[in-house]
Amino acid sequence: MRCQFAEARDDIDAANDEIGTVYFNEEFEMAESSVQAALDAYAALLAKLGTADGSSGMPGGQRGAVQRAHGLKVEQLKGELQMLRDKALED
């Protein structure tokens, strides 16, 4: 999952560098795809870990730890992709 987050950040940076060029659309699509893959991996991991009270899946303490460790990264990816989308609309 860490690799997916890193790849998504790299793709966002690459797309940001291409704003205003003919390459932007392709780079933006790659960034969007990478972010979605990272979000899907995070959601799948949370689903595997079960509920926060531990009633299904692995113990709930692990789910909380994953949410604390990666929740802000997920929100940051979403925010960076949205900022990139907004910048592109300005140009």
Side-chain angles (χ1 to χ4, degrees):
M1 189 168 67
R2 287 182 205 167
C3 290
Q4 289 168 319
F5 281 129
E7 182 179 340
R9 294 284 324 275
D10 288 345
D11 288 347
I12 288 171
D13 288 343
N16 197 34
D17 291 343
E18 298 299 338
I19 290 176
T21 72
V22 296
Y23 304 107
F24 174 75
N25 287 339
E26 183 179 337
E27 293 292 339
F28 181 78
E29 287 175 11
M30 286 178 56
E32 216 170 23
S33 177
S34 295
V35 168
Q36 191 58 54
L39 297 179
D40 290 347
Y42 178 72
L45 179 58
L46 289 182
K48 179 180 175 186
L49 294 176
T51 61
D53 65 4
S55 63
S56 65
M58 295 180 181
Q62 288 181 349
R63 180 186 174 98
V66 168
Q67 286 176 313
R68 285 187 297 279
H70 299 290
L72 288 177
K73 293 177 193 174
V74 167
E75 294 306 314
Q76 181 180 1
L77 279 180
K78 289 178 186 177
E80 288 179 3
L81 187 64
Q82 185 58 50
M83 284 176 26
L84 180 61
R85 187 178 286 122
D86 292 345
K87 281 184 189 178
L89 292 175
E90 290 174 4
D91 284 350

